[in-house]
Amino acid sequence: MRERSDELEALLDRTAPNGVPISRAVEAELGRMAVAARTETPGVAVHRVSRLATAGIIAAVVFGGAGAAAAAVSVHEWFGWEKNPDRIYEFTLPSGDTCETRLGVVTGDDSRMVAAVKDYIASVDLGDAIDVPSELERRRADTNNWTTLPDGTEEYSGYGSDLYPDPDEEYKGAVSGALVAAVVAHLKSQGLGANPADWSNLTYSGRTQCSGDEQ
Amino acid sequence: MSAAPNGGADDRLTDSLTANSVDILNYFARRVGHDDAPDLVAETMMAAWRRSNALPSDPDGARMWLFGIARNVLANADRSHRRRLRLANRLRLLIDRSSEPAADAGIEIRDALQRLPAEHAEILRLVHWDGFSLQEASMLLNEPPTTTRSRYTRAKTALRGQLEHPPDPTSAVVLLADGS
């Protein structure tokens, strides 16, 4: 009886369904989710435009120095990888609120691409490299924005619609988008990424906290 | 504006989620498949943060607490209408669906497990698929260890019975022919 029981237990052990292959990217993403879940809320966040930003308003952008040195004093609370980021930078929103962004968790299947992204975001002079006004223009000109509402219907969310982000949220998105564009341009200027497979699973994480955020 | 200090509980929860997230992901993947598992992981993480005040202070206790939340998330998940959470978007893309088991790998025993009463199937999965000890399984099932041990023994007996006497797939047809 004991022998049969052992055989059955061994059979049970052997026939478990395959688990998920845990790549470094999956591990990093789980770590990111563990932090992001703290402030994530279920459902779709719908932003209403209170007043469109007037042409010509450029919020002041101050970028932290190169390197991973943490700010001497941060007014925000950070968790997990955010405590030891690859880059910290600050900027000011149209409303006057100040934001701090931390970047890190660079992952991808191609180690050269990962190293290049990591080096770039840690050392680049962001004031020179990123073009926020151009990114704002690009976003406002994009007419392919549609948002799926909680009831499953789709509604246009481009510039001028009720669902388009308010000026501060628009600006935050533009800063982030301008950095992505700068990263991609840098990689291509280095002769990297010619093969589509080079971009496989290439990601980095960022978290922004602003003085006007609810805690 | 900084959050009020909470004795480092937020750090402990972050560490605990990070340390156990792979096992939680596979816990869900083995039960609902690779496609739906990321969203249940995201729900578990969000639920853990909402209840962070109840996080046990020791790592083993925290692990069991998280799996308790995961079991509740699984039990409450609407299988006919799985929610897609933004938090899980990237994880869903990263997971390699091609690693799902081939159609005939272990299918006989998994089919037999499916035919068992739910509480028998679950104790066998917890021990042999998820690697919990019987002591840990009893904590997750919120019952005395002696009850869990008895349940485990009965579950193996029931599984052995299913494997030795599988249902006859033709029997339904025969009955239909006789009864019609």
Side-chain angles (χ1 to χ4, degrees):
Chain A
M1 180 67 85
R2 184 168 176 77
E3 187 178 5
R4 287 181 62 193
S5 177
D6 285 347
E7 283 179 10
L8 181 62
E9 291 176 15
L11 186 61
L12 276 164
D13 289 342
R14 282 201 309 272
T15 53
N18 286 342
V20 173
I22 303 300
S23 64
R24 288 175 63 186
V26 168
E27 257 186 331
E29 177 58 17
L30 286 168
R32 185 200 69 81
M33 286 170 67
V35 174
R38 180 173 181 261
T39 52
E40 188 79 3
T41 53
V44 175
V46 177
H47 298 283
R48 298 266 166 200
V49 176
S50 53
R51 187 175 66 208
L52 294 178
T54 331
I57 290 179
I58 305 289
V61 184
V62 175
F63 294 107
V73 175
S74 177
V75 298
H76 306 288
E77 201 168 7
W78 305 94
F79 302 94
W81 68 264
E82 299 165 355
K83 292 186 177 181
N84 191 25
D86 291 322
R87 183 62 179 267
I88 299 168
Y89 63 87
E90 298 170 338
F91 57 96
T92 304
L93 298 174
S95 64
D97 288 343
T98 56
C99 298
E100 179 181 339
T101 293
R102 296 188 172 208
L103 303 176
V105 200
V106 184
T107 62
D109 292 346
D110 187 305
S111 58
R112 294 171 310 152
M113 299 282 278
V114 170
V117 172
K118 210 170 159 65
D119 287 344
Y120 182 73
I121 64 175
S123 61
V124 66
D125 183 340
L126 290 170
D128 279 344
I130 79 168
D131 185 354
V132 178
S134 292
E135 178 63 18
L136 279 169
E137 281 182 29
R138 187 195 68 76
R139 284 170 178 247
R140 292 173 181 179
D142 185 356
T143 57
N144 288 320
N145 281 323
W146 292 84
T147 295
T148 302
L149 299 181
D151 65 2
T153 58
E154 289 200 334
E155 189 168 325
Y156 180 65
S157 51
Y159 188 63
S161 72
D162 285 345
L163 295 183
Y164 190 75
D166 65 30
D168 276 359
E169 289 302 314
E170 181 197 38
Y171 196 86
K172 274 191 238 175
V175 170
S176 174
L179 178 60
V180 171
V183 168
V184 171
H186 171 71
L187 291 173
K188 289 182 176 176
S189 75
Q190 300 298 303
L192 296 171
N195 185 342
D198 296 339
W199 300 89
S200 176
N201 293 321
L202 184 64
T203 64
Y204 65 84
S205 295
R207 183 161 176 234
T208 297
Q209 299 195 74
C210 302
S211 53
D213 290 346
E214 289 180 5
Q215 295 293 330
Chain B
M1 282 180 279
S2 56
N6 59 0
D10 285 354
D11 280 345
R12 283 192 292 108
L13 180 53
T14 301
D15 290 344
S16 190
L17 281 170
T18 304
N20 292 288
S21 56
V22 168
D23 288 346
I24 291 173
L25 173 63
N26 279 320
Y27 169 85
F28 286 128
R30 293 185 193 111
R31 286 160 175 79
V32 301
H34 293 195
D35 199 37
D36 290 333
D39 293 280
L40 297 184
V41 170
E43 278 201 57
T44 301
M45 289 180 170
M46 290 160 62
W49 278 110
R50 286 196 298 272
R51 301 168 206 173
S52 60
N53 288 341
L55 173 72
S57 56
D58 63 296
D60 288 343
R63 173 178 169 82
M64 300 312 294
W65 179 78
L66 286 174
F67 270 94
I69 292 174
R71 289 194 74 238
N72 283 335
V73 165
L74 182 64
N76 293 328
D78 178 354
R79 290 176 190 273
S80 65
H81 195 77
R82 192 79 75 197
R83 272 205 312 174
R84 287 296 187 237
L85 296 175
R86 177 178 57 197
L87 181 63
N89 282 350
R90 206 181 330 181
L91 185 61
R92 254 186 268 111
L93 290 174
L94 287 173
I95 285 173
D96 177 11
R97 293 184 185 80
S98 64
S99 66
E100 299 231 42
D104 58 348
I107 196 168
E108 183 189 10
I109 201 160
R110 287 197 293 276
D111 278 354
L113 267 173
Q114 287 281 90
R115 293 194 295 274
L116 295 179
E119 68 270 18
H120 285 171
E122 183 60 4
I123 183 62
L124 293 176
R125 289 188 190 110
L126 285 173
V127 172
H128 293 283
W129 290 6
D130 303 314
F132 289 108
S133 67
L134 282 174
Q135 176 74 21
E136 290 170 334
S138 75
M139 291 166 63
L140 281 177
L141 296 170
N142 200 26
E143 61 188 21
T146 49
T147 303
T148 304
R149 274 196 291 276
S150 299
R151 188 199 302 274
Y152 177 68
T153 302
R154 290 198 304 275
K156 283 196 298 182
T157 302
L159 180 64
R160 197 175 297 116
Q162 286 288 337
L163 291 171
E164 288 172 356
H165 305 287
D168 180 0
T170 65
S171 61
V173 175
V174 169
L175 285 170
L176 191 62
D178 283 346
S180 62

